[in-house]
Amino acid sequence: MMDAFTSALIPQALNLAGQFWWLILLLIIVSITRTAWFKGVFGEWIVNLILRKNFKEPEYSLFKDVMLPREDGTTQIDHILLSKYGIFVIETKNMKGWIFGNETSPYWTQQIFKNKFRFQNPLRQNYKHTKTLSDLIEVDPAVVHSIIVFVGDATFKTPMPNNVLTAFKLRRYISEYSHPVIDDTALEAIKVSLSRGKLDNSFTNKRKHIAHAKSLKKMTNTTPDERDTTNCPRCGGSLVMRTSKRGTNEGKQFLGCSNYPKCRFIRH
């Protein structure tokens, strides 16, 4: 049984919690907005808003959060925009800070102040999406266009391909494709093939996809890419052989980043 002191504290604690419920709710909301899940959902929502506002039916058809089957599991595509001008496969990244990378490096780098984080090259990630989609709907890969959209306060610190862009440039980029390359009959067949071929976004399918994605990420993280002698692990630039000209290591060779002096990574 509770003593008198404990019995007196419980009502006071409940009363205090009742007075500050809004603060507790605010803390919960702030915590949720900082999660990777929320950032991903919010980024996709912004891109979805841009697409629906500027590329409307019947000229364009938008599919979002599309899960497609693969021989090794599944793959998930944020947005697919179908039109007679081409098929646009869009991968969204909600990130901030400086972004370093190039078209061929396996990893890109995000820098926030002095902290650096590596992530998979989204061009490689979206290549798998475009290849899976092309095979499913049986179209010429030349009419399927990969687009990487960065949402958030991100700044590119290395030159990026034209199809890697920020959200406010998305409308202009897609609008540049104004020459019809798919006739109406073929486009209707593509819509049917995609609608039939994509997986339902059921709880079971999503759980399987998440498990598959985690297994791929684990395999990627255990790859000894830190010892890669081709690409810089900090900015994604090429590593080139150089010779020390001064100091205790004078005359010795080392691998240095080709983006020097912007990036001063070296490997002896």
Side-chain angles (χ1 to χ4, degrees):
M1 297 181 62
M2 294 182 294
D3 56 31
F5 179 75
T6 304
S7 300
L9 280 181
I10 292 177
Q12 295 181 22
L14 292 175
N15 182 52
L16 187 64
Q19 292 179 7
F20 291 96
W21 66 267
W22 57 270
L23 180 59
I24 297 173
L25 180 61
L26 179 61
L27 291 174
I28 294 174
I29 293 174
V30 170
S31 298
I32 293 175
T33 58
R34 291 181 176 179
T35 63
W37 169 83
F38 179 84
K39 291 177 180 179
V41 171
F42 183 70
E44 292 175 20
W45 178 81
I46 291 177
V47 171
N48 183 69
L49 186 65
I50 294 172
L51 295 175
R52 289 199 177 278
K53 180 180 179 181
N54 296 283
F55 304 99
K56 301 179 180 179
E57 295 275 5
E59 192 172 16
Y60 295 87
S61 297
L62 178 62
F63 292 77
K64 64 176 183 177
D65 193 18
V66 180
M67 195 180 308
L68 300 180
R70 287 176 53 87
E71 292 183 358
D72 61 347
T74 57
T75 190
Q76 186 270 338
I77 303 175
D78 294 337
H79 293 92
I80 301 174
L81 186 66
L82 304 180
S83 76
K84 61 183 178 181
Y85 309 112
I87 301 170
F88 304 92
V89 180
I90 303 169
E91 172 70 18
T92 305
K93 296 294 181 185
N94 188 353
M95 306 181 77
K96 62 181 180 179
W98 291 353
I99 306 297
F100 300 85
N102 60 51
E103 190 170 0
T104 59
S105 60
Y107 297 99
W108 288 6
T109 300
Q110 175 193 31
Q111 181 174 346
I112 303 175
F113 300 108
K114 293 184 179 181
N115 299 314
K116 296 182 179 181
F117 311 92
R118 293 192 315 154
F119 59 100
Q120 183 186 7
N121 181 342
L123 288 169
R124 291 191 172 194
Q125 180 182 1
N126 215 32
Y127 172 76
K128 182 171 71 172
H129 295 162
T130 58
K131 182 66 168 59
T132 303
L133 178 63
S134 298
D135 292 343
L136 174 69
I137 60 180
E138 299 181 342
V139 298
D140 183 354
V143 303
V144 182
H145 307 289
S146 171
I147 303 176
I148 311 300
V149 180
F150 277 80
V151 177
D153 187 21
T155 302
F156 302 134
K157 301 302 288 186
T158 49
M160 293 290 179
N162 292 333
N163 62 330
V164 179
L165 40 84
T166 53
F168 74 91
K169 293 183 179 180
L170 178 60
R171 181 193 64 81
R172 181 187 302 176
Y173 182 84
I174 295 178
S175 298
E176 290 177 353
Y177 290 86
S178 56
H179 178 69
V181 293
I182 306 173
D183 61 47
D184 293 339
T185 302
L187 186 60
E188 190 61 33
I190 289 171
K191 293 179 185 178
V192 173
S193 296
L194 180 56
S195 298
R196 291 177 177 176
K198 67 184 182 70
L199 300 174
D200 293 332
N201 286 325
S202 63
F203 173 78
T204 301
N205 284 337
K206 285 190 173 182
R207 185 174 61 179
K208 289 181 179 179
H209 173 71
I210 292 173
H212 176 64
K214 286 183 177 179
S215 65
L216 291 178
K217 185 175 181 181
K218 184 177 181 180
M219 290 174 60
T220 300
N221 289 339
T222 56
T223 301
D225 48 87
E226 286 290 348
R227 301 182 183 275
D228 182 18
T229 58
T230 304
N231 299 296
C232 174
R234 290 185 182 176
C235 71
S238 301
L239 292 179
V240 295
M241 188 66 68
R242 293 196 172 98
T243 303
S244 298
K245 297 181 179 180
R246 61 177 67 89
T248 57
N249 292 321
E250 183 177 358
K252 294 183 179 180
Q253 290 187 320
F254 65 94
L255 290 172
C257 183
S258 59
N259 290 325
Y260 179 87
K262 290 184 178 180
C263 177
R264 297 176 178 270
F265 175 82
I266 61 172
R267 176 176 290 135
H268 293 286

